[in-house]
Amino acid sequence: ANALLQSTQVINRAKQLSFIWNINPEFAGNPTMFGNVGAICFTCASTTWPYIAKQMKATKVGVLAYGIAQQSKDCAKGIRNSFVKYPTAEVAYFEDSLNYAQPLGAQVTAMKQKGVTFVMTCVDLNESFTLGKEMQKQGMRAVQSLPNGYDANFVSKNAARFEGDIVTLGVVALEVTPQLPEIQNLYKYTRDIGVPVSELTVYGWI
């Protein structure tokens, strides 16, 4: 985080215009940096997760995040704050101290014992896959959110682990028809240079 903060300060002092994937609080307040989305309050309460939990009739939810990435910890705090302000369900399990590529056997056991049926995560897709495998192994029936899950190839190859889960997306889904003209241009360009289209490809195109 310190290295990222120092880098943003150097770029800002140099008045270097930069377009960034807006997932880090260090980007805030730099007038030369432009994000794929507007300003984000990572720890603020949101209606999104309580609304989804209510629609799913989930009464007990779990939250998982990395402890070695501040934006992940802040994301988890924001989810918890959301249920404090909009208590549609109880946060029955909360952990924001995971390492990257960590086995999740103990976490799944604890969530299963507490009756969690909806797991909100602030982790990458590989960790979501690990979570899906472990829940299947332990017979835990729960839906998980996939914050980095908009990857059709990865999800289709591992459909048994992800079926029924929820993907959050910050752009118009590429599958929507008719496609927007700009999306058609994106596909033409990526075909020409041999690059697969993903959520991050869209942000790069923007």
Side-chain angles (χ1 to χ4, degrees):
N2 287 336
L4 179 59
L5 179 59
Q6 291 170 2
S7 297
T8 59
Q9 290 171 342
V10 169
I11 292 170
N12 193 43
R13 283 197 300 269
K15 294 182 169 53
Q16 172 65 53
L17 296 178
S18 304
F19 182 85
I20 49 91
W21 184 27
N22 192 7
I23 59 168
N24 293 81
E26 290 86 356
F27 297 146
N30 296 307
T32 61
M33 292 188 171
F34 301 87
N36 58 294
V37 294
I40 297 174
C41 177
F42 289 83
T43 59
C44 290
S46 165
T47 58
T48 302
W49 300 117
Y51 174 78
I52 294 174
K54 184 177 181 180
Q55 295 303 304
M56 293 171 49
K57 296 181 171 54
T59 58
K60 295 186 177 181
V61 301
V63 182
L64 293 176
Y66 295 123
I68 49 179
Q70 188 59 45
Q71 66 267 38
S72 183
K73 290 177 70 70
D74 287 346
C75 163
K77 185 176 180 181
I79 293 172
R80 183 164 59 184
N81 289 343
S82 298
F83 283 95
V84 170
K85 187 170 183 178
Y86 308 106
T88 60
E90 172 195 352
V91 178
Y93 184 85
F94 183 93
E95 182 172 343
D96 64 350
S97 59
L98 299 178
N99 291 312
Y100 290 130
Q102 178 176 325
L104 297 172
Q107 289 77 12
V108 169
T109 298
M111 288 192 291
K112 184 179 178 182
Q113 290 173 346
K114 291 177 182 294
V116 168
T117 58
F118 182 28
V119 185
M120 283 146 289
T121 63
C122 302
V123 299
D124 64 25
L125 192 51
N126 287 317
E127 198 72 47
S128 296
F129 177 62
T130 299
L131 176 59
K133 283 195 300 184
E134 189 60 40
M135 288 197 300
Q136 193 173 60
K137 177 182 175 182
Q138 294 195 30
M140 177 181 171
R141 299 177 63 85
V143 172
Q144 66 163 311
S145 67
L146 306 173
N148 297 129
Y150 194 53
D151 185 328
N153 290 331
F154 190 91
V155 171
S156 63
K157 288 177 183 175
N158 302 286
R161 316 295 186 189
F162 294 128
E163 186 63 38
D165 291 340
I166 295 173
V167 176
T168 54
L169 184 60
V171 297
V172 173
L174 300 172
E175 293 80 8
V176 170
T177 55
Q179 280 187 332
L180 297 171
E182 197 59 28
I183 296 295
Q184 294 175 26
N185 290 338
L186 164 64
Y187 272 98
K188 180 180 183 304
Y189 178 74
T190 53
R191 281 195 300 269
D192 289 345
I193 65 172
V195 171
V197 175
S198 68
E199 185 177 7
L200 290 183
T201 317
V202 175
Y203 297 149
W205 179 252
I206 293 170

